[in-house]
Amino acid sequence: MPNFSLPDSVFEEACAIYPTPFHLYDETGIRQNARALNAAFAWCPDFKEYFAVKALPTPAILRILREEGCGVDCSSDTELMLADACGFSGEEIMFSANAMPYEEFAHARRLGAYINLDDITHIDILKQHGGIPETVCLRYNPGGSFTIGTEIMGNPGEAKYGFTYAQLQEGLKQLKALGVKRFGLHAFLSSNNTDAGYYPALAQLLFKCGRDLSEESGLPLAFINLSGGVGIPYRPDQAATDIQAVGEGVRQAYEAVFPEGGVAIKTELGRWMTGPMGWLVTHATHKKDTYKHYIGLDACAANLMRPAMYGAYHHITVCGKREAPLDHRYDVTGSLCENNDKFAVDRDLPEIVTGDIVVIHDTGAHGFAMGYNYNGRLRSAEVLRTLDGGLRLIRRAETAKDYFATLDVDECASKLE
């Protein structure tokens, strides 16, 4: 069920202060999620969440999560810089490599981050760019499809990520010869999965794989990184993931394979941590009736790409009309010169008039982060609802001057002064 923890009055108050569109995040909810996750894995004394920076790369949010005991998972040089600037250091950072520029390995090593290698060829690259640390993590791709019971949850064999099992065996031989003392194992096999059985099934696979590789290589298994993939209920008819049941299922799988313990657990959740705690707040600016009925917003796919990119569902409400009948059918659109710039297609909503505040739910992960500047549209502001109920601007909206700042157009730039 989409998150209705904030009343319409919060969005209305924010709109009175900040021009729309903007993303609004709830600090209370983010902290509650972090604590719920830590509680679900409290049975593992060496558990740590590494928040996926790509989901919401905003310093104010990252600092909140650090206060709650989280680390960060980074996948680029800029994300490493952001993590460093927010106070993360050493093994609070996981660097998940994926066809990275070579110098980014060296940067991660300088920060003392865990290195999560994606391919056997990265061993030599890491050796030459930063050096081989005593602990290295390897990403596993088992191939084929990943199933729970008879239901296919993902198709890792079609993904670009990870080592085959044979490559893991060979890779650990090479790493041991280069001085590695212990290793971690990581896999991501399904996205946005609300089935409480997903993490336990993934854990069972990784626990057994890690145990076997440790016995074969003679290297101790330091940790298992269960990665992300735990989902959220974007649609009203979906149930939320029971994170306590997820943690209990992983515990049972862990104790079956590691009865003596000694292996740490790490996760890198992004969507589950912050997704339901964000909303894109907009105004209806246009109403159009042709072959269909359209509502145009002052936001567009530059502010939230997911619906345009792959038809993702995001729930939509209209301030002051939550209890009104859903007796109008609209396509809800933005202003880009692309026909897929639609937040909803044939969505049943209450009657919308120009000036209504329209709220798009569950944008706290992969929302602002995926923004772009097509048509010269500018990325929006971000606002935090703080623990005391106040509102704080945590990222200002882009301006035209920002857009032109990287261009060799001095005359244009001077006109923006």
Side-chain angles (χ1 to χ4, degrees), residues 169-225:
Q169 293 172 307
E170 174 58 28
L172 287 174
K173 287 181 183 178
Q174 294 180 22
L175 289 165
K176 186 176 182 180
L178 291 169
V180 165
K181 304 298 184 185
R182 66 197 70 83
F183 73 99
L185 193 63
H186 165 284
F188 179 90
L189 304 184
S190 180
S191 180
N192 193 37
N193 202 311
T194 57
D195 187 326
Y198 165 60
Y199 245 23
L202 171 64
Q204 184 179 53
L205 182 152
L206 284 176
F207 294 160
K208 292 180 178 179
C209 180
R211 177 197 60 193
D212 293 347
L213 287 168
S214 178
E215 291 174 355
E216 293 170 12
S217 67
L219 289 172
L221 176 63
F223 62 83
I224 292 292
N225 185 342

Side-chain angles (χ1 to χ4, degrees), residues 219-246:
L219 289 172
L221 176 63
F223 62 83
I224 292 292
N225 185 342
L226 297 173
S227 69
V230 176
I232 63 174
Y234 286 99
R235 295 179 179 271
D237 58 352
Q238 286 181 294
T241 305
D242 184 342
I243 200 66
Q244 196 64 43
V246 169

Side-chain angles (χ1 to χ4, degrees), residues 305-384:
M305 187 194 291
R306 296 184 71 252
M309 188 176 184
Y310 36 74
Y313 181 97
H314 281 264
H315 200 62
I316 295 174
T317 55
V318 183
C319 280
K321 299 181 180 181
R322 288 194 185 184
E323 305 304 321
L326 308 180
D327 54 3
H328 286 65
R329 181 163 293 182
Y330 299 114
D331 282 14
V332 182
T333 78
S335 59
L336 296 186
C337 297
E338 285 288 346
N339 193 48
N340 67 347
D341 181 23
K342 296 177 180 178
F343 297 108
V345 176
D346 293 329
R347 185 74 61 86
D348 291 333
L349 294 164
E351 182 180 14
I352 300 175
V353 299
T354 300
D356 277 345
I357 298 172
V358 178
V359 178
I360 303 176
H361 291 239
D362 302 312
T363 69
H366 312 292
F368 178 92
M370 296 175 73
Y372 59 110
N373 289 126
Y374 184 64
N375 270 164
R377 294 297 171 190
L378 304 174
R379 283 170 284 202
S380 63
E382 294 178 293
V383 176
L384 181 68

